[in-house]
Amino acid sequence: MSNPTSNYGWQMPTATDLVTDLPADFEVFGQAVDTALMDLRGGTTGQVLAKASSTDMDFVWSADAAGMTNPMTTTGDSIYSSSGSTPARLGIGTTGQVLTVAGGLPSWATPSAGGLTLLSTTALTGSSVTVSSISQSYKNLFIYVKNVTSPAVGAVTLRLNGITTSSYTDHRIYYAAAGVQADFTTGTSLFLNNSNSNTSFSGKFAALMTIPRYTDTSLIDVDIRSSGRDATAGILVSFNLGRFDAAAAISSVTLDHTSSFSTGTMYIYGES
């Protein structure tokens, strides 16, 4: 038979073949297809079909040597590259853990604790209260002073590291009876506000202070927000960006009163 061939060299019947030639044509065609597809038989689970040579339709079943063996075993597992291109399993972490890198490889770890850690709670009595030996293990200090009263009107001030020289500067905006005012002063402490004997919830002195990077050994800023009361101006609300010319990290905090403290509490927190 001299019939046209397919792309694989299989001889095929044509429309002009005699009916008596068709059985022979299909026999030749079918045998060629059967022979060509012989390599597709067999194989076992997990094997892949690969080329045995450059010859058309020459295949062989083989293990998937070039593929990746899945190392995962548990829901939530991850795969990473170990020793270059070797797939490795990273088991799922526990609730609250985060993905990090340790020793050049991914791993699960508990995140470092953030937020505030209470370092001290101190009752305010007398005319001066100092908290010393403040931990140096945090990034910022947060100081909260509340429920402060005094037997007479007086100023509450802040000193750091016990320094009493002119190492402090107030940059203050405040509201008093005369309206909004501002001042700039240098002195031996930072001004917080006034307190008196008023024991109402609106009359007691309170202050919030943040000292960022308190372990620095140079200029340190102190963000001070406070509310107080005196005998003439009434309620005083003050915002003060104080500055301290530090020579060492902050290790002690002192609150002074020009009269004395009757009540009040100072809380110091370390901020991670």
Side-chain angles (χ1 to χ4, degrees):
M1 163 175 81
S2 180
N3 291 346
T5 59
S6 68
N7 292 325
Y8 297 98
W10 303 332
Q11 291 181 333
M12 298 179 294
T14 67
T16 59
D17 281 346
L18 296 174
V19 173
T20 55
D21 292 331
L22 289 178
D25 287 349
F26 281 117
E27 180 183 3
V28 173
F29 176 75
Q31 184 63 50
V33 172
D34 180 73
T35 301
L37 299 181
M38 184 64 184
D39 286 349
L40 302 185
R41 294 182 60 191
T44 61
T45 301
Q47 287 188 316
V48 295
L49 195 63
K51 287 289 291 181
S53 70
S54 59
T55 303
D56 290 342
M57 300 300 290
D58 187 14
F59 296 101
V60 64
W61 290 102
S62 63
D64 188 8
M68 182 186 73
T69 301
N70 184 1
M72 297 186 294
T73 61
T74 307
T75 300
D77 285 353
S78 301
I79 300 175
Y80 67 93
S81 176
S82 176
S83 301
S85 59
T86 303
R89 170 183 175 268
L90 175 62
I92 186 171
T94 58
T95 300
Q97 287 190 313
V98 296
L99 190 61
T100 185
V101 175
L105 295 175
S107 62
W108 294 103
T110 301
S112 300
L116 301 177
T117 300
L118 181 62
L119 304 181
S120 66
T121 301
T122 305
L124 302 180
T125 60
S127 60
S128 183
V129 176
T130 297
V131 176
S132 58
S133 300
I134 295 174
S135 170
Q136 304 293 292
S137 301
Y138 300 89
K139 295 178 181 178
N140 310 310
L141 281 185
F142 183 82
I143 304 171
Y144 176 37
V145 180
K146 65 179 293 188
N147 293 334
V148 175
T149 62
S150 54
V153 174
V156 182
T157 57
L158 171 71
R159 288 185 291 116
L160 302 170
N161 290 348
I163 302 299
T164 57
T165 59
S166 295
S167 301
Y168 307 87
T169 303
D170 290 307
H171 304 78
R172 193 163 69 104
I173 297 176
Y174 61 96
Y175 174 81
V180 177
Q181 301 178 56
D183 63 26
F184 172 87
T185 57
T186 297
T188 58
S189 62
L190 293 173
F191 178 78
L192 302 187
N193 217 312
N194 292 318
S195 75
N196 66 11
S197 59
N198 191 310
T199 58
S200 68
F201 78 94
S202 62
K204 293 180 180 180
F205 168 97
L208 302 172
M209 292 164 276
T210 302
I211 308 178
R213 298 180 60 88
Y214 72 102
T215 58
D216 283 355
T217 56
S218 57
L219 178 67
I220 289 180
D221 290 320
V222 184
D223 180 15
I224 304 169
R225 291 162 286 168
S226 64
S227 174
R229 182 186 290 266
D230 64 19
T232 57
I235 296 176
L236 301 173
V237 178
S238 174
F239 299 90
N240 184 5
L241 179 59
R243 286 186 170 169
F244 173 55
D245 188 12
I250 303 303
S251 60
S252 72
V253 170
T254 300
L255 289 186
D256 295 313
H257 200 295
T258 53
S259 173
S260 64
F261 295 106
S262 296
T263 63
T265 307
M266 175 168 58
Y267 303 90
I268 299 181
Y269 297 84
E271 185 179 35
S272 300

